[in-house]
mmCIF file of all heavy atoms in Angstrom:
data_model
loop_
_atom_site.group_PDB
_atom_site.id
_atom_site.type_symbol
_atom_site.label_atom_id
_atom_site.label_comp_id
_atom_site.label_asym_id
_atom_site.label_seq_id
_atom_site.Cartn_x
_atom_site.Cartn_y
_atom_site.Cartn_z
ATOM 1 N N TYR A 1 129.081 52.727 88.410
ATOM 2 C CA TYR A 1 129.904 53.714 87.784
ATOM 3 C C TYR A 1 130.223 53.548 86.302
ATOM 4 O O TYR A 1 129.907 54.439 85.506
ATOM 5 C CB TYR A 1 131.161 53.917 88.615
ATOM 6 C CG TYR A 1 132.030 55.113 88.144
ATOM 7 C CD1 TYR A 1 131.942 56.329 88.803
ATOM 8 C CD2 TYR A 1 132.912 55.062 87.167
ATOM 9 C CE1 TYR A 1 132.650 57.385 88.454
ATOM 10 C CE2 TYR A 1 133.724 56.088 86.791
ATOM 11 C CZ TYR A 1 133.576 57.264 87.414
ATOM 12 O OH TYR A 1 134.357 58.447 87.136
ATOM 13 N N ALA A 2 130.539 52.305 85.981
ATOM 14 C CA ALA A 2 130.932 52.068 84.603
ATOM 15 C C ALA A 2 129.727 52.081 83.760
ATOM 16 O O ALA A 2 129.815 52.584 82.659
ATOM 17 C CB ALA A 2 131.591 50.710 84.587
ATOM 18 N N ILE A 3 128.664 51.665 84.092
ATOM 19 C CA ILE A 3 127.373 51.625 83.368
ATOM 20 C C ILE A 3 126.871 53.091 83.082
ATOM 21 O O ILE A 3 126.455 53.376 81.977
ATOM 22 C CB ILE A 3 126.305 50.742 84.022
ATOM 23 C CG1 ILE A 3 126.809 49.282 83.856
ATOM 24 C CG2 ILE A 3 124.982 50.987 83.373
ATOM 25 C CD1 ILE A 3 125.950 48.306 84.691
ATOM 26 N N LEU A 4 126.939 53.939 84.169
ATOM 27 C CA LEU A 4 126.360 55.166 84.079
ATOM 28 C C LEU A 4 127.412 56.263 83.468
ATOM 29 O O LEU A 4 126.839 57.444 83.097
ATOM 30 C CB LEU A 4 125.811 55.613 85.386
ATOM 31 C CG LEU A 4 124.434 55.021 85.768
ATOM 32 C CD1 LEU A 4 123.925 55.650 87.104
ATOM 33 C CD2 LEU A 4 123.415 55.055 84.797
ATOM 34 N N PHE A 5 128.719 55.985 83.537
ATOM 35 C CA PHE A 5 129.576 57.111 83.239
ATOM 36 C C PHE A 5 129.274 57.755 81.891
ATOM 37 O O PHE A 5 129.324 58.914 81.696
ATOM 38 C CB PHE A 5 131.050 56.553 83.339
ATOM 39 C CG PHE A 5 131.955 57.589 83.078
ATOM 40 C CD1 PHE A 5 132.360 58.516 84.189
ATOM 41 C CD2 PHE A 5 132.647 57.923 81.999
ATOM 42 C CE1 PHE A 5 133.201 59.527 84.105
ATOM 43 C CE2 PHE A 5 133.618 58.966 81.825
ATOM 44 C CZ PHE A 5 133.892 59.776 82.808
ATOM 45 N N PHE A 6 129.069 56.984 80.883
ATOM 46 C CA PHE A 6 128.843 57.576 79.513
ATOM 47 C C PHE A 6 127.355 57.709 79.153
ATOM 48 O O PHE A 6 127.047 58.179 78.054
ATOM 49 C CB PHE A 6 129.506 56.701 78.407
ATOM 50 C CG PHE A 6 130.912 56.785 78.483
ATOM 51 C CD1 PHE A 6 131.775 55.893 78.913
ATOM 52 C CD2 PHE A 6 131.633 57.958 78.051
ATOM 53 C CE1 PHE A 6 133.141 55.919 79.041
ATOM 54 C CE2 PHE A 6 132.983 58.061 78.124
ATOM 55 C CZ PHE A 6 133.774 57.087 78.646
ATOM 56 N N THR A 7 126.482 57.451 80.160
ATOM 57 C CA THR A 7 125.054 57.604 79.800
ATOM 58 C C THR A 7 124.732 59.076 79.549
ATOM 59 O O THR A 7 123.757 59.258 78.597
ATOM 60 C CB THR A 7 124.186 57.097 80.999
ATOM 61 O OG1 THR A 7 124.497 55.796 81.259
ATOM 62 C CG2 THR A 7 122.700 57.190 80.801
ATOM 63 N N PRO A 8 125.320 60.048 80.137
ATOM 64 C CA PRO A 8 124.833 61.556 79.801
ATOM 65 C C PRO A 8 125.109 61.743 78.293
ATOM 66 O O PRO A 8 124.539 62.673 77.779
ATOM 67 C CB PRO A 8 125.798 62.267 80.547
ATOM 68 C CG PRO A 8 126.204 61.541 81.823
ATOM 69 C CD PRO A 8 126.143 60.001 81.244
ATOM 70 N N ASP A 9 125.943 61.066 77.528
ATOM 71 C CA ASP A 9 126.155 61.260 76.155
ATOM 72 C C ASP A 9 124.920 60.875 75.288
ATOM 73 O O ASP A 9 124.911 61.391 74.130
ATOM 74 C CB ASP A 9 127.486 60.624 75.758
ATOM 75 C CG ASP A 9 128.672 61.285 76.046
ATOM 76 O OD1 ASP A 9 128.623 62.511 76.377
ATOM 77 O OD2 ASP A 9 129.813 60.679 76.202
ATOM 78 N N LEU A 10 124.066 60.175 75.837
ATOM 79 C CA LEU A 10 122.853 59.798 75.144
ATOM 80 C C LEU A 10 122.067 61.044 74.865
ATOM 81 O O LEU A 10 121.123 61.117 74.031
ATOM 82 C CB LEU A 10 121.949 58.732 75.940
ATOM 83 C CG LEU A 10 122.679 57.386 75.970
ATOM 84 C CD1 LEU A 10 121.775 56.503 76.863
ATOM 85 C CD2 LEU A 10 122.924 56.757 74.684
ATOM 86 N N SER A 11 122.248 62.186 75.614
ATOM 87 C CA SER A 11 121.532 63.387 75.440
ATOM 88 C C SER A 11 121.734 63.991 74.060
ATOM 89 O O SER A 11 120.969 64.804 73.522
ATOM 90 C CB SER A 11 121.923 64.487 76.497
ATOM 91 O OG SER A 11 123.338 64.774 76.328
ATOM 92 N N PHE A 12 122.864 63.639 73.340
ATOM 93 C CA PHE A 12 123.045 64.246 71.979
ATOM 94 C C PHE A 12 121.967 63.856 71.037
ATOM 95 O O PHE A 12 121.692 64.367 69.904
ATOM 96 C CB PHE A 12 124.396 63.830 71.504
ATOM 97 C CG PHE A 12 124.463 62.376 70.958
ATOM 98 C CD1 PHE A 12 124.228 62.140 69.621
ATOM 99 C CD2 PHE A 12 124.766 61.278 71.750
ATOM 100 C CE1 PHE A 12 124.258 60.907 69.013
ATOM 101 C CE2 PHE A 12 124.835 60.009 71.238
ATOM 102 C CZ PHE A 12 124.626 59.775 69.810
ATOM 103 N N ALA A 13 121.163 62.858 71.495
ATOM 104 C CA ALA A 13 120.075 62.198 70.496
ATOM 105 C C ALA A 13 119.036 63.250 70.301
ATOM 106 O O ALA A 13 118.379 63.355 69.251
ATOM 107 C CB ALA A 13 119.415 61.016 71.201
ATOM 108 N N ALA A 14 118.968 64.382 71.222
ATOM 109 C CA ALA A 14 118.055 65.467 71.039
ATOM 110 C C ALA A 14 118.376 66.308 69.764
ATOM 111 O O ALA A 14 117.575 67.016 69.281
ATOM 112 C CB ALA A 14 117.986 66.303 72.309
ATOM 113 N N TYR A 15 119.705 66.205 69.321
ATOM 114 C CA TYR A 15 119.983 66.852 68.094
ATOM 115 C C TYR A 15 119.255 66.245 66.924
ATOM 116 O O TYR A 15 119.171 67.026 65.907
ATOM 117 C CB TYR A 15 121.618 66.689 67.863
ATOM 118 C CG TYR A 15 122.279 67.828 68.673
ATOM 119 C CD1 TYR A 15 122.802 67.486 69.884
ATOM 120 C CD2 TYR A 15 122.668 69.008 67.906
ATOM 121 C CE1 TYR A 15 123.467 68.534 70.683
ATOM 122 C CE2 TYR A 15 123.282 69.932 68.704
ATOM 123 C CZ TYR A 15 123.778 69.753 69.945
ATOM 124 O OH TYR A 15 124.427 70.747 70.609
ATOM 125 N N ALA A 16 118.671 65.148 67.020
ATOM 126 C CA ALA A 16 118.021 64.537 65.866
ATOM 127 C C ALA A 16 116.675 65.465 65.630
ATOM 128 O O ALA A 16 116.189 65.452 64.583
ATOM 129 C CB ALA A 16 117.560 63.085 66.240
ATOM 130 N N LEU A 17 116.178 66.031 66.662
ATOM 131 C CA LEU A 17 115.019 67.027 66.528
ATOM 132 C C LEU A 17 115.404 68.231 65.867
ATOM 133 O O LEU A 17 114.833 68.704 64.885
ATOM 134 C CB LEU A 17 114.293 67.078 67.835
ATOM 135 C CG LEU A 17 113.723 65.904 68.459
ATOM 136 C CD1 LEU A 17 113.216 66.043 69.720
ATOM 137 C CD2 LEU A 17 112.755 65.233 67.453
ATOM 138 N N ASN A 18 116.414 68.961 66.616
ATOM 139 C CA ASN A 18 116.987 70.215 65.937
ATOM 140 C C ASN A 18 118.211 70.547 66.869
ATOM 141 O O ASN A 18 118.193 70.212 68.017
ATOM 142 C CB ASN A 18 115.966 71.399 65.727
ATOM 143 C CG ASN A 18 115.522 71.883 67.083
ATOM 144 O OD1 ASN A 18 116.176 72.350 67.960
ATOM 145 N ND2 ASN A 18 114.090 71.849 67.235
ATOM 146 N N ALA A 19 118.966 71.461 66.270
ATOM 147 C CA ALA A 19 120.351 71.866 67.013
ATOM 148 C C ALA A 19 119.993 72.645 68.281
ATOM 149 O O ALA A 19 120.666 72.500 69.302
ATOM 150 C CB ALA A 19 121.151 72.633 66.053
ATOM 151 N N ARG A 20 118.889 73.473 68.293
ATOM 152 C CA ARG A 20 118.747 74.355 69.392
ATOM 153 C C ARG A 20 118.334 73.489 70.695
ATOM 154 O O ARG A 20 118.746 73.590 71.754
ATOM 155 C CB ARG A 20 117.618 75.378 69.086
ATOM 156 C CG ARG A 20 117.407 76.315 70.233
ATOM 157 C CD ARG A 20 116.443 77.306 69.817
ATOM 158 N NE ARG A 20 116.202 78.393 70.808
ATOM 159 C CZ ARG A 20 115.411 78.270 71.915
ATOM 160 N NH1 ARG A 20 114.527 77.301 71.896
ATOM 161 N NH2 ARG A 20 115.358 79.287 72.757
ATOM 162 N N LEU A 21 117.336 72.496 70.354
ATOM 163 C CA LEU A 21 116.934 71.548 71.354
ATOM 164 C C LEU A 21 118.024 70.718 71.805
ATOM 165 O O LEU A 21 118.209 70.433 73.004
ATOM 166 C CB LEU A 21 115.675 70.751 70.960
ATOM 167 C CG LEU A 21 115.094 69.860 71.999
ATOM 168 C CD1 LEU A 21 114.731 70.540 73.276
ATOM 169 C CD2 LEU A 21 114.084 68.924 71.341
ATOM 170 N N GLY A 22 118.791 70.210 70.704
ATOM 171 C CA GLY A 22 119.954 69.379 71.128
ATOM 172 C C GLY A 22 120.937 69.990 72.075
ATOM 173 O O GLY A 22 121.349 69.431 73.103
ATOM 174 N N ALA A 23 121.229 71.256 71.744
ATOM 175 C CA ALA A 23 122.230 72.058 72.763
ATOM 176 C C ALA A 23 121.609 72.200 74.090
ATOM 177 O O ALA A 23 122.273 72.108 74.961
ATOM 178 C CB ALA A 23 122.543 73.406 71.988
ATOM 179 N N ILE A 24 120.282 72.538 74.163
ATOM 180 C CA ILE A 24 119.597 72.831 75.485
ATOM 181 C C ILE A 24 119.652 71.437 76.219
ATOM 182 O O ILE A 24 120.270 71.571 77.437
ATOM 183 C CB ILE A 24 118.206 73.168 75.350
ATOM 184 C CG1 ILE A 24 118.194 74.691 74.807
ATOM 185 C CG2 ILE A 24 117.562 73.106 76.552
ATOM 186 C CD1 ILE A 24 116.795 75.169 74.295
ATOM 187 N N VAL A 25 119.394 70.408 75.658
ATOM 188 C CA VAL A 25 119.396 69.088 76.485
ATOM 189 C C VAL A 25 120.769 68.696 76.817
ATOM 190 O O VAL A 25 121.064 68.281 78.004
ATOM 191 C CB VAL A 25 118.601 68.023 75.688
ATOM 192 C CG1 VAL A 25 118.823 66.626 76.286
ATOM 193 C CG2 VAL A 25 117.113 68.376 75.455
ATOM 194 N N TYR A 26 121.641 68.774 75.844
ATOM 195 C CA TYR A 26 123.023 68.351 76.058
ATOM 196 C C TYR A 26 123.654 69.247 77.167
ATOM 197 O O TYR A 26 124.326 68.674 78.116
ATOM 198 C CB TYR A 26 123.894 68.560 74.836
ATOM 199 C CG TYR A 26 125.304 67.963 74.955
ATOM 200 C CD1 TYR A 26 125.639 66.672 74.622
ATOM 201 C CD2 TYR A 26 126.311 68.855 75.440
ATOM 202 C CE1 TYR A 26 126.897 66.230 74.755
ATOM 203 C CE2 TYR A 26 127.506 68.402 75.602
ATOM 204 C CZ TYR A 26 127.844 67.200 75.157
ATOM 205 O OH TYR A 26 129.098 66.744 75.443
ATOM 206 N N ASN A 27 123.475 70.516 77.191
ATOM 207 C CA ASN A 27 123.943 71.465 78.249
ATOM 208 C C ASN A 27 123.421 71.223 79.478
ATOM 209 O O ASN A 27 124.087 71.296 80.661
ATOM 210 C CB ASN A 27 123.824 72.939 77.726
ATOM 211 C CG ASN A 27 124.775 73.162 76.611
ATOM 212 O OD1 ASN A 27 125.697 72.468 76.309
ATOM 213 N ND2 ASN A 27 124.446 74.360 75.892
ATOM 214 N N MET A 28 122.051 70.864 79.621
ATOM 215 C CA MET A 28 121.536 70.683 80.874
ATOM 216 C C MET A 28 122.145 69.400 81.586
ATOM 217 O O MET A 28 122.353 69.336 82.720
ATOM 218 C CB MET A 28 119.928 70.329 80.761
ATOM 219 C CG MET A 28 119.092 71.650 80.581
ATOM 220 S SD MET A 28 117.419 71.346 80.243
ATOM 221 C CE MET A 28 116.947 70.045 81.300
ATOM 222 N N VAL A 29 122.356 68.333 80.849
ATOM 223 C CA VAL A 29 123.007 67.142 81.325
ATOM 224 C C VAL A 29 124.481 67.300 81.633
ATOM 225 O O VAL A 29 124.962 66.625 82.504
ATOM 226 C CB VAL A 29 122.708 66.047 80.261
ATOM 227 C CG1 VAL A 29 123.406 64.667 80.737
ATOM 228 C CG2 VAL A 29 121.194 65.697 80.167
ATOM 229 N N HIS A 30 125.153 68.131 80.811
ATOM 230 C CA HIS A 30 126.603 68.317 80.959
ATOM 231 C C HIS A 30 126.935 69.429 81.914
ATOM 232 O O HIS A 30 128.211 69.752 81.950
ATOM 233 C CB HIS A 30 127.290 68.256 79.614
ATOM 234 C CG HIS A 30 127.353 66.994 78.903
ATOM 235 N ND1 HIS A 30 126.122 66.527 78.239
ATOM 236 C CD2 HIS A 30 128.314 65.923 78.796
ATOM 237 C CE1 HIS A 30 126.491 65.234 77.847
ATOM 238 N NE2 HIS A 30 127.775 64.854 78.081
ATOM 239 N N SER A 31 126.113 70.115 82.539
ATOM 240 C CA SER A 31 126.476 71.240 83.365
ATOM 241 C C SER A 31 126.738 70.780 84.711
ATOM 242 O O SER A 31 126.077 69.886 85.215
ATOM 243 C CB SER A 31 125.281 72.157 83.203
ATOM 244 O OG SER A 31 125.415 73.217 84.388
ATOM 245 N N TYR A 32 127.747 71.413 85.292
ATOM 246 C CA TYR A 32 127.873 71.001 86.778
ATOM 247 C C TYR A 32 126.749 71.441 87.586
ATOM 248 O O TYR A 32 126.548 70.929 88.696
ATOM 249 C CB TYR A 32 129.188 71.821 87.259
ATOM 250 C CG TYR A 32 130.408 71.415 86.561
ATOM 251 C CD1 TYR A 32 131.298 72.340 86.010
ATOM 252 C CD2 TYR A 32 130.830 70.058 86.475
ATOM 253 C CE1 TYR A 32 132.551 71.991 85.449
ATOM 254 C CE2 TYR A 32 132.039 69.658 85.790
ATOM 255 C CZ TYR A 32 132.742 70.605 85.329
ATOM 256 O OH TYR A 32 133.959 70.231 84.691
ATOM 257 N N ILE A 33 125.876 72.346 87.133
ATOM 258 C CA ILE A 33 124.745 72.804 87.981
ATOM 259 C C ILE A 33 123.773 71.555 88.049
ATOM 260 O O ILE A 33 123.334 71.423 89.156
ATOM 261 C CB ILE A 33 124.066 73.941 87.221
ATOM 262 C CG1 ILE A 33 124.987 75.163 87.327
ATOM 263 C CG2 ILE A 33 122.657 74.338 87.928
ATOM 264 C CD1 ILE A 33 124.515 76.230 86.434
ATOM 265 N N SER A 34 123.575 70.903 87.052
ATOM 266 C CA SER A 34 122.720 69.629 87.216
ATOM 267 C C SER A 34 123.164 68.709 88.174
ATOM 268 O O SER A 34 122.446 68.143 89.051
ATOM 269 C CB SER A 34 122.673 68.982 85.767
ATOM 270 O OG SER A 34 122.020 69.827 84.892
ATOM 271 N N ALA A 35 124.484 68.403 88.333
ATOM 272 C CA ALA A 35 125.142 67.548 89.306
ATOM 273 C C ALA A 35 124.926 68.058 90.693
ATOM 274 O O ALA A 35 124.582 67.448 91.635
ATOM 275 C CB ALA A 35 126.618 67.392 88.990
ATOM 276 N N ILE A 36 125.134 69.369 90.837
ATOM 277 C CA ILE A 36 125.029 70.045 92.097
ATOM 278 C C ILE A 36 123.540 70.022 92.657
ATOM 279 O O ILE A 36 123.076 69.737 93.763
ATOM 280 C CB ILE A 36 125.450 71.483 92.219
ATOM 281 C CG1 ILE A 36 126.933 71.419 91.923
ATOM 282 C CG2 ILE A 36 125.031 72.297 93.333
ATOM 283 C CD1 ILE A 36 127.569 72.847 91.582
ATOM 284 N N LEU A 37 122.583 70.211 91.757
ATOM 285 C CA LEU A 37 121.140 70.221 92.062
ATOM 286 C C LEU A 37 120.771 68.796 92.389
ATOM 287 O O LEU A 37 120.042 68.548 93.356
ATOM 288 C CB LEU A 37 120.235 70.659 90.881
ATOM 289 C CG LEU A 37 120.296 72.188 90.606
ATOM 290 C CD1 LEU A 37 119.554 72.433 89.315
ATOM 291 C CD2 LEU A 37 119.774 72.925 91.781
ATOM 292 N N LEU A 38 121.311 67.822 91.732
ATOM 293 C CA LEU A 38 120.964 66.482 92.141
ATOM 294 C C LEU A 38 121.525 65.982 93.398
ATOM 295 O O LEU A 38 120.961 65.261 94.160
ATOM 296 C CB LEU A 38 121.505 65.434 90.967
ATOM 297 C CG LEU A 38 121.121 64.093 90.877
ATOM 298 C CD1 LEU A 38 119.507 64.063 90.816
ATOM 299 C CD2 LEU A 38 121.590 63.314 89.720
ATOM 300 N N ALA A 39 122.768 66.444 93.639
ATOM 301 C CA ALA A 39 123.310 66.270 95.001
ATOM 302 C C ALA A 39 122.614 66.897 96.165
ATOM 303 O O ALA A 39 122.387 66.271 97.122
ATOM 304 C CB ALA A 39 124.871 66.791 95.032
ATOM 305 N N GLY A 40 122.144 68.099 95.871
ATOM 306 C CA GLY A 40 121.196 68.743 96.861
ATOM 307 C C GLY A 40 119.924 68.006 97.132
ATOM 308 O O GLY A 40 119.494 67.919 98.256
ATOM 309 N N ALA A 41 119.283 67.519 96.022
ATOM 310 C CA ALA A 41 118.187 66.741 96.185
ATOM 311 C C ALA A 41 118.516 65.576 97.004
ATOM 312 O O ALA A 41 117.644 64.999 97.811
ATOM 313 C CB ALA A 41 117.559 66.400 94.838
ATOM 314 N N SER A 42 119.621 64.900 96.751
ATOM 315 C CA SER A 42 120.003 63.612 97.549
ATOM 316 C C SER A 42 120.105 63.998 98.898
ATOM 317 O O SER A 42 119.557 63.305 99.905
ATOM 318 C CB SER A 42 121.330 63.153 97.055
ATOM 319 O OG SER A 42 121.845 62.201 97.937
ATOM 320 N N TRP A 43 120.603 65.147 99.306
ATOM 321 C CA TRP A 43 120.879 65.384 100.676
ATOM 322 C C TRP A 43 119.502 65.814 101.326
ATOM 323 O O TRP A 43 119.138 65.385 102.400
ATOM 324 C CB TRP A 43 121.740 66.801 100.825
ATOM 325 C CG TRP A 43 121.860 67.306 102.188
ATOM 326 C CD1 TRP A 43 122.733 66.615 103.066
ATOM 327 C CD2 TRP A 43 121.439 68.440 102.757
ATOM 328 N NE1 TRP A 43 122.707 67.437 104.183
ATOM 329 C CE2 TRP A 43 121.849 68.503 104.081
ATOM 330 C CE3 TRP A 43 120.633 69.411 102.284
ATOM 331 C CZ2 TRP A 43 121.513 69.548 104.837
ATOM 332 C CZ3 TRP A 43 120.174 70.395 103.085
ATOM 333 C CH2 TRP A 43 120.747 70.488 104.400
ATOM 334 N N LEU A 44 118.569 66.539 100.646
ATOM 335 C CA LEU A 44 117.366 66.998 101.197
ATOM 336 C C LEU A 44 116.340 65.722 101.323
ATOM 337 O O LEU A 44 115.705 65.629 102.280
ATOM 338 C CB LEU A 44 116.699 67.996 100.260
ATOM 339 C CG LEU A 44 117.204 69.330 100.271
ATOM 340 C CD1 LEU A 44 116.456 70.213 99.102
ATOM 341 C CD2 LEU A 44 116.952 69.999 101.660
ATOM 342 N N LEU A 45 116.409 64.755 100.357
ATOM 343 C CA LEU A 45 115.560 63.726 100.350
ATOM 344 C C LEU A 45 116.252 62.383 101.105
ATOM 345 O O LEU A 45 115.530 61.469 101.355
ATOM 346 C CB LEU A 45 115.201 63.281 99.102
ATOM 347 C CG LEU A 45 114.454 64.211 98.298
ATOM 348 C CD1 LEU A 45 114.193 63.860 96.752
ATOM 349 C CD2 LEU A 45 113.097 64.631 98.891
ATOM 350 N N GLY A 46 117.427 62.508 101.419
ATOM 351 C CA GLY A 46 118.319 61.379 102.051
ATOM 352 C C GLY A 46 118.262 60.155 101.146
ATOM 353 O O GLY A 46 118.254 59.096 101.664
ATOM 354 N N ILE A 47 118.445 60.387 99.931
ATOM 355 C CA ILE A 47 118.561 59.271 98.999
ATOM 356 C C ILE A 47 119.996 59.115 98.476
ATOM 357 O O ILE A 47 120.486 59.850 97.668
ATOM 358 C CB ILE A 47 117.571 59.368 97.765
ATOM 359 C CG1 ILE A 47 116.089 59.539 98.284
ATOM 360 C CG2 ILE A 47 117.747 58.216 96.841
ATOM 361 C CD1 ILE A 47 115.251 59.956 97.125
ATOM 362 N N ASP A 48 120.758 58.080 99.144
ATOM 363 C CA ASP A 48 122.090 57.965 98.662
ATOM 364 C C ASP A 48 122.386 57.653 97.231
ATOM 365 O O ASP A 48 123.345 58.109 96.630
ATOM 366 C CB ASP A 48 122.673 56.828 99.463
ATOM 367 C CG ASP A 48 122.935 57.204 100.942
ATOM 368 O OD1 ASP A 48 122.871 58.431 101.226
ATOM 369 O OD2 ASP A 48 122.927 56.294 101.743
#
């Protein structure tokens, strides 16, 4: 938990390419939808 908690903030590095791509990548990682999709994949695949 401690190691991964701030890992999503690395997505801001996409801003080095341009602001539009940076916003897209950052929002994908920081959206609750991503967490829900990942949880659904966990349930479907049985990967804790």
Side-chain angles (χ1 to χ4, degrees):
Y1 184 91
I3 291 168
L4 287 187
F5 187 79
F6 288 108
T7 301
D9 284 337
L10 296 176
S11 63
F12 81 90
Y15 276 90
L17 299 173
N18 67 56
R20 184 172 186 274
L21 179 62
I24 290 168
V25 172
Y26 185 93
N27 291 343
M28 282 177 36
V29 174
H30 287 81
S31 169
Y32 295 130
I33 295 169
S34 296
I36 291 168
L37 290 174
L38 197 55
S42 168
W43 179 72
L44 287 171
L45 300 173
I47 302 172
D48 290 338

